[in-house]
Every structure is written in C-alpha cells, then in structure tokens.
Amino acid sequence: MTRFIFITGGVVSSLGKGLASAALGALLQARGFKVRLRKLDPYINVDPGTMSPYQHGEVFVTEDGAETDLDLGHYERFTGVSARQSDNVTTGRIYSDVIAKERRGDYLGATIQVIPHITNAIKEFVTSDLTDEDFVLCEIGGTVGDIEGLPFLEAIRQLRNDLGRDNTLYLHLTLVPYIPTAGELKTKPTQHSVKELLSVGIQPDILLCRADRQIPEAERQKIAQFCNVREEAVISALDVDTIYNVPLSYHKEGLDEQVCQHFKIARPAPDLSRWEKIVETVTKPEGEVSIAIVGKYTGLRDAYKSLAEALDHGGIANNVEVGTQWVDSEIFESGDVVSHLEGIHGILVPGGFGERGSEGKIAAARFARERNIPYFGICFGMQMAVIEAARNMAGMGKASSTEFGPCKQPVVGLMTEWLQGKDLQIREAGGNMGGTMRLGAYPCTLEKGSRVYDIYGNKEISERHRHRYEVNTTYRDALEKAGMKFSGMSPDGILPEIVEIPDHPWFVGVQFHPELKSRPFEPHPLFTSFIAAAIDQSRLV
Ligand code: GLN
C-alpha cells in the first residue's frame, strides 16, 4: 500500500519546501523504501513552459518531455528517481482537463464545481500512475492562506478521509525567526501558520521549523502545545553550509524517525554514508576553478538552478570548488570584456531565448575560441557558438538565427519537422507557444574519435531537449571545413546535436540540456570533463 506524505509551507515562501521534500525522500530511500515525489502548483498556467525564468526560475524538463517546476530537479538529484509528466500539475492543467471533459459531455449534465469536480481531479492526479511505491511525497506549492492553493488543500484534506490516517501524513514547513533585539526565537508565526492550516481542516502531524539556530526545548514545547503536535514531531530544520547536508541534518533531528513512527513501521536506521562522503568532498576541496556563466537571467540564481548544481557536481568529480561568476551577456556588447573575465578558467553560455543579449553571447564564444579558454555552449549557447564560427571561421558575415527574424545566412533555423520515435512531429511558424518545443529525451549518435565520444565513452547517448530552433545542416560542410566538427547527430543524421572544435583545448556545444541529468552521485560526464579542462586552464593563468 502506498502511503502519502503531504508537504505544505507557511509563514513565508522560499523556505526550501522543495529541498525539504527531496531530503525526506532521500532519507526514506536510504531506509530502503521506494519513493516518488510530486508537486502541485497553484498557478493558472497550464505548465511553467511559457513563464519567464525571472518569474518562475528554471523550467525543469523530464525524460518524457514535461516542462515542470524546478523543484522536480531537486527531487531527481536527491533521489535519482526520474520524474515524469504525472509528477507535476498546476491549477491551469486541472481546470483545462475538467473543462475539456465538460465540453465532451462527460459529466452528464452536472453543474461543475470546485468541490467535487476540481478536487476530484486533483485527488485523481495525486493517486494515479503509481505502481509499487512505498511513499509518495506530494508538495503543495505556495504558502497556506493563498487563495489559489485552497482547492489543493481541500483535496489533500479529503484524501486523509479516503485513504485513512495510517496512510497519510501532513508535514508543515514553517519559519521560526530569531529577533536580535529580543535575543529570542519566535514561535508565533508558526502558531499562526498552523491556525491557518487548521482553518481548512488540516492538522499537521509533523512540523519542520526552519531556524538559523537550534530551537531550545522550551520553544519546541510551546510550539507542540499550541499546535497540537507531539514535541518530538517538532523538528528543527537548521540552516546548513551545503544542501547535501540537509538530509543528514534532518536525520539528526529525527525527521525520518518521526515519519516511520507516524506510519507505525519499523526499519533499521538509514545508511547515509554516501551523503557523508559527499559533504566531506564538498567542504574540503583541493582547489578552485572559476567559471563565467554568460547569460541573460543572471539576476536570479533559480533561473539556472540545474546548471549551477551540475557545475558543482563537476567540481565534486574533480575534487575542486567551482566558483561561478554570473555575467550579463550584454557587457560583451560594450567591448570591455577582459576586466569582467579576470581569472576565469572556463566560459559557459547556457540556454536562452530571444535576440536581446545574443550578440554578447556570440562575442563570448569568440573570446573563448580565440583565447583557448574552455567553452561550453548549452542549447542557445551552442547555437550562438555556431553563428560565431560561421561568421568568423567560415567567413559568412550575415550568419544568424531566424529566431531573431529573417536573415541571409540562417545557420540556425526553425525546426518544422522531426521524428519522435516513429512519430513525425510537425510545427509551423506562428503556432502555439506552450508545450510545442522539441521536448524531453532524444537519442544521439556520437562520432568515433571525437572529444565527446571520449567523454561519454559510448556511441549512443540520450539527453533531454527543450528548443524550437536547430543548427541548419545546409552549412555543415562549410563549418566543418573551417574547423567546427559536427560530432553528435540524431540517429537519422538530420539534427545536429553536438559541435566541437578539435583544434581548441575544450570547445563543445550541445543542443540538449545535460545539466538536467547530472546528479551529485552521478556527475554528468560533460560537466566533469569541462571542469577538468578548467583545472588545466587554471594552471596556465
Ligand atoms: N531559443 C533557442 C531555441 O528555441 C534555444 C532554446 C534553449 O536554449 N533552451 O531553439
């Protein structure tokens, strides 16, 4: 029987509910349980695919091609369990499904209401597409008290009735702030947050209290008493130096023990040695490299969440700390580049959309190519590197991408047809923007003898995609003659997946997003190799 853990948050947002869910998932997994993590997002967009990264942070793409919330990235990285389309839903998707059914006449004349129709659709989502999971951890986005979140809270309230107390657990994450002038940790915000939850009929079973210091016994007693929770179930979630310490810290505070007690299941203590090992590596690196990430959304770290993590994983694999400098690509357009790149050992141009800042990214690729600095271009970063090579290596002065409008030498153009397995996908200019990119895992064949073949140690690979444009093979010969090799192609030989410059210490552009598959315990080979090249570079400067 699958048991459900519902994770809500209160007091303020950004308390790290996603990370908390991922860490609990990892702890239960370490006790030998099979887990699945899901997220319910209360916003009206059907998925986050059309949202600006500034609004919502990174869009995390699953193997099966869903554009999802970035918390699913935390879940995957902490548990190694690949997320699926059925692991993230929004208010928008629930409503559009219910309305589509209503239009089809499936409700046989009923008046469609939030309760029961919307809540039933939510409940169905939470409990469907499961096999032999021991636990489903289901995070509810937003904070209690948000209007948008109410149908989700109502649905999970009902689920306790449907599934029984023994199969459900409500975990609530709150904040216990320290007030310096009073010299005290304050429990009142937590009390209010639990009251809010109680007002919709949910009594939390475990409180996870974020605090910057140990919560003293007296305060924990107070929280327990006012919030109707056993004292041992009031858990301190302390600030830690690295995210890999979160599972260890929660375990020390007794979180997984309390969960097992709640469900009345006895299991030996978890084996957390791999987490201990990783914390040891991260906290005692043997060197440091500095990577410049040249992008457009550099003001918001969450916009490149998986990328930052994958770079860290590359550091873990090489035993070094990876320092990242987030550089707005527009500075490359003003000409004063060198002062911004003092002591940089590698340049990475990540995924992106639209013309603004693109000339800066092209200049960054040129800078890295001409000065023999390791360059890693991801998706848009590959496309910009190809435009740069076309212009400055192959002499095509008018080379550009049709993403920026019509151009004379479209070395990057709109993808209108491609194969997904055996299905032909067709798109046209001016079509719907939502969910219509080339999304999810696609295979790629590597050329023997190329750098990437060495890196992967394999001829066939599979990576996740999220793009609408592609490198135009019409220009392949000219680019190869000029020194840029197409070392990875779709198996049908039609879509360029990887380019590299053999005559350079490390210059690789990939059409996919390798950062989405990197995990702390399985660093992605491209990031491992890129950081190794940066280490070599650091010895030169
Ligand atoms: N804007 C480019 C495209 O749609 C690149 C997308 C990306 O970097 N994810 O092809």
Side-chain angles (χ1 to χ4, degrees), residues 351-353 378-380 383 403 437 466-469 513:
F353 293 84
I378 293 180
C379 205
F380 199 64
Q383 297 173 357
E403 184 171 354
M437 280 188 257
R466 182 173 186 252
H467 61 118
R468 218 179 283 287
Y469 296 83
H513 289 273

Side-chain angles (χ1 to χ4, degrees), residues 66-292:
E67 295 177 283
T68 70
D69 186 77
L70 60 80
D71 278 330
L72 274 79
H74 289 308
Y75 305 164
E76 275 203 16
R77 286 186 287 272
F78 271 54
T79 64
V81 179
S82 282
R84 298 194 292 242
Q85 182 98 48
S86 57
D87 291 326
N88 188 202
V89 79
T90 67
T91 296
R93 162 116 25 223
I94 295 282
Y95 269 83
S96 71
D97 289 354
V98 168
I99 291 168
K101 266 169 109 178
E102 184 273 334
R103 293 287 83 185
R104 273 202 311 268
D106 290 2
Y107 293 111
L108 305 175
T111 306
I112 311 304
Q113 294 176 299
V114 174
I115 306 170
H117 300 95
I118 296 298
T119 46
N120 280 352
I122 297 171
K123 290 199 290 184
E124 200 182 308
F125 177 84
V126 170
T127 52
S128 65
D129 198 19
L130 297 169
T131 47
D132 54 347
E133 283 84 357
D134 297 305
F135 287 103
V136 171
L137 286 81
C138 186
E139 177 188 346
I140 289 89
T143 38
V144 284
D146 298 345
I147 291 177
E148 295 91 339
L150 285 174
F152 290 106
L153 295 178
E154 171 60 14
I156 64 166
R157 184 195 68 76
Q158 291 180 15
L159 276 170
R160 166 155 286 183
N161 239 1
D162 300 350
L163 303 166
R165 187 201 171 276
D166 287 350
N167 297 314
T168 49
L169 185 155
Y170 297 116
L171 185 140
H172 189 55
L173 182 69
T174 71
L175 176 70
V176 179
Y178 179 76
I179 308 294
T181 45
E184 276 178 7
L185 283 167
K186 289 294 182 189
T187 65
K188 195 65 108 195
T190 296
Q191 296 177 36
H192 279 299
S193 184
V194 171
K195 249 195 203 138
E196 194 76 50
L197 207 50
L198 282 168
S199 75
V200 293
I202 296 175
Q203 162 67 54
D205 300 300
I206 297 181
L207 290 175
L208 195 52
C209 304
R210 280 295 302 270
D212 67 352
R213 63 203 66 208
Q214 199 71 40
I215 304 174
E217 182 76 20
E219 269 68 30
R220 279 185 42 190
Q221 271 171 4
K222 205 159 148 189
I223 294 174
Q225 208 162 44
F226 280 105
C227 301
N228 268 329
V229 175
R230 283 178 305 113
E231 198 187 319
E232 315 83 76
V234 179
I235 313 264
S236 311
L238 302 173
D239 295 351
V240 285
D241 47 356
T242 140
I243 56 167
Y244 306 114
N245 232 331
V246 176
L248 296 170
S249 161
Y250 285 1
H251 173 67
K252 218 168 111 227
E253 299 297 329
L255 177 61
D256 46 317
E257 184 55 42
Q258 287 306 316
V259 169
C260 288
Q261 269 192 31
H262 172 91
F263 288 115
K264 301 189 185 75
I265 35 179
R267 271 284 161 103
D271 174 9
L272 296 174
S273 52
R274 69 175 188 163
W275 291 98
E276 282 155 8
K277 227 164 84 197
I278 221 157
V279 169
E280 170 86 11
T281 315
V282 172
T283 48
K284 294 195 189 97
E286 280 164 12
E288 193 185 345
V289 292
S290 193
I291 304 294

Side-chain angles (χ1 to χ4, degrees), residues 28 62 107 172 202 242 246 283 352 359 395 412 500 510-511 529:
L28 292 170
T62 58
Y107 293 111
H172 189 55
I202 296 175
T242 140
V246 176
T283 48
E359 284 303 324
V412 178
E500 59 184 73
V510 295
Q511 187 57 77
S529 175

Side-chain angles (χ1 to χ4, degrees), residues 375-485:
Y375 177 86
F376 195 2
I378 293 180
C379 205
F380 199 64
M382 171 220 199
Q383 297 173 357
M384 296 306 106
V386 173
I387 293 173
E388 193 280 316
R391 286 186 193 167
N392 305 312
M393 291 167 78
M396 292 180 240
K398 300 260 183 299
S400 190
S401 167
T402 58
E403 184 171 354
F404 315 145
C407 64
K408 284 229 164 65
Q409 290 168 317
V411 291
V412 178
L414 183 70
M415 237 180 328
T416 49
E417 278 189 20
W418 70 90
L419 277 176
Q420 183 172 35
K422 289 198 172 65
D423 298 336
L424 183 65
Q425 297 283 331
I426 299 177
R427 302 284 188 276
E428 56 191 36
N432 258 359
M433 294 301 263
T436 54
M437 280 188 257
R438 182 175 178 237
L439 291 166
Y442 280 86
C444 161
T445 308
L446 306 181
E447 194 181 301
K448 274 212 165 107
S450 63
R451 180 187 297 278
V452 282
Y453 183 86
D454 271 2
I455 292 173
Y456 279 93
N458 221 338
K459 195 168 159 46
E460 305 296 334
I461 60 162
S462 167
E463 294 282 2
R464 298 184 198 171
H465 292 69
R466 182 173 186 252
H467 61 118
R468 218 179 283 287
Y469 296 83
E470 62 173 327
V471 173
N472 187 343
T473 42
T474 314
Y475 300 97
R476 179 175 179 171
D477 279 351
L479 283 159
E480 297 217 292
K481 273 200 197 92
M484 175 171 265
K485 292 276 170 266

